[in-house]
Amino acid sequence: MNAERHAQLVQFLEAQGLRPSPSWAAAALEPLDAALTHTSAGLSINHEKLEFLGDAVLRLAASEFLEIQAPALSVGQASALRAQLVSDRWLADLGGRIGIDGFLRIGPMAAGDETGRATLRAEACEACIGALYRIWGDLSPVQQWLSPHWLETLKLFEQDPHLHNWKSALQEWSQGAKRGLPTYLCEERSQRHGDPERFFCQVNLGETPLGEGWGGSRRQAEQAAARSALARVKPARAS
């Protein structure tokens, strides 16, 4: 690892509120170097093994966070929220917020694939979690880095317990009301990759339209339609 790359890695850590020990040699940051090196770069090191480790570390760290910050949640609620905190969507959003692209080493083809950028960010963040655990030997740097971001999601969850899982909530409501299961009718309205309104979806109960929504994927459009429907049938919880 050259001095420029080492300085870049230190800058990345400091941007996340972390400081490497002055007693560490440059080699101590090699796991982070690997975590921020995508396989497409064609180098001798890459993120894959650290991403695998990071997946397990992330789930444990998120579980500890919820135990400390949201002890009143039921097991079911904690499980649903943890699923949000460890999701690829959440990790990709995190990567965008912290500007992880500026620290990533990727190959030219991957660099030109805008549609795959969210996946790259999610993989890199998960690999960095594994790298931090490898470097420090415990969960402390992971908690220090992620807790402020998780707290933001926790606040959103408290405002909307169905956060990003509105389809499940709508199904629970319709079954509880003995109205049957919602049906989703989706249409692709755009051929442009990355278009946030590529798909349109309408959700019905029987012949009755309940809501509609748009999304960059069918899943996103269905969730948006379900959220719209919940706002209609359960307005007190849709604020």
Side-chain angles (χ1 to χ4, degrees):
M1 183 192 310
N2 61 33
E4 181 181 359
R5 180 60 170 172
H6 181 261
Q8 187 181 43
L9 297 177
V10 171
Q11 179 187 356
F12 174 82
L13 290 173
E14 291 179 343
Q16 316 320 318
L18 302 171
R19 287 187 177 275
S21 170
S23 64
W24 291 349
L29 296 186
E30 286 179 354
L32 185 61
D33 188 24
L36 291 168
T37 303
H38 191 258
T39 51
S40 63
L43 300 176
S44 59
I45 58 172
N46 63 64
H47 73 288
E48 287 185 327
K49 289 186 177 180
L50 287 163
E51 182 189 354
F52 179 77
L53 174 62
D55 176 66
V57 174
L58 175 61
R59 292 179 65 84
L60 178 57
S63 298
E64 285 197 352
F65 168 82
L66 291 173
E67 185 176 353
I68 295 168
Q69 297 293 339
L73 292 180
S74 68
V75 173
Q77 290 173 322
S79 179
L81 180 50
R82 185 180 65 182
Q84 300 291 335
L85 300 180
V86 304
S87 68
D88 288 345
R89 178 201 56 79
W90 192 91
L91 289 166
D93 288 346
L94 172 67
R97 287 197 302 272
I98 67 174
I100 203 168
D101 293 22
F103 300 91
L104 273 175
R105 294 193 294 193
I106 57 178
M109 292 201 57
D113 181 12
E114 288 298 325
T115 61
R117 190 54 59 92
T119 299
L120 283 177
R121 290 171 181 157
E123 291 176 349
C125 283
E126 201 162 50
C128 285
I129 291 166
L132 295 182
Y133 181 79
R134 183 73 74 204
I135 294 168
W136 266 264
D138 57 45
L139 293 177
S140 61
V142 178
Q143 294 285 15
Q144 186 175 342
W145 173 28
L146 299 183
S147 287
H149 302 283
W150 279 339
L151 282 170
E152 293 180 14
T153 304
L154 177 58
K155 291 177 183 177
L156 293 174
F157 184 84
E158 290 171 344
Q159 296 168 6
D160 182 0
H162 308 308
L163 184 64
H164 299 298
N165 197 19
W166 298 289
K167 283 184 66 177
S168 176
L170 182 62
Q171 181 173 315
E172 289 178 9
W173 172 84
S174 66
Q175 288 182 311
K178 301 188 185 304
R179 299 275 302 275
L181 295 176
T183 57
Y184 295 84
L185 303 175
C186 286
E187 296 180 5
E188 187 175 17
R189 297 285 182 88
S190 166
Q191 297 292 322
R192 183 167 61 88
H193 290 290
D195 186 346
E197 295 188 349
R198 183 176 179 182
F199 291 90
F200 170 78
C201 183
Q202 178 177 294
V203 58
N204 302 325
L205 266 182
E207 300 297 322
T208 305
L210 283 187
E212 57 186 41
W214 297 83
S217 67
R218 290 183 186 275
R219 181 178 181 278
Q220 290 173 352
E222 288 175 353
Q223 290 286 0
R227 186 180 191 182
S228 172
L230 282 170
R232 176 181 176 184
V233 302
K234 302 172 70 174
R237 301 192 68 175
S239 60

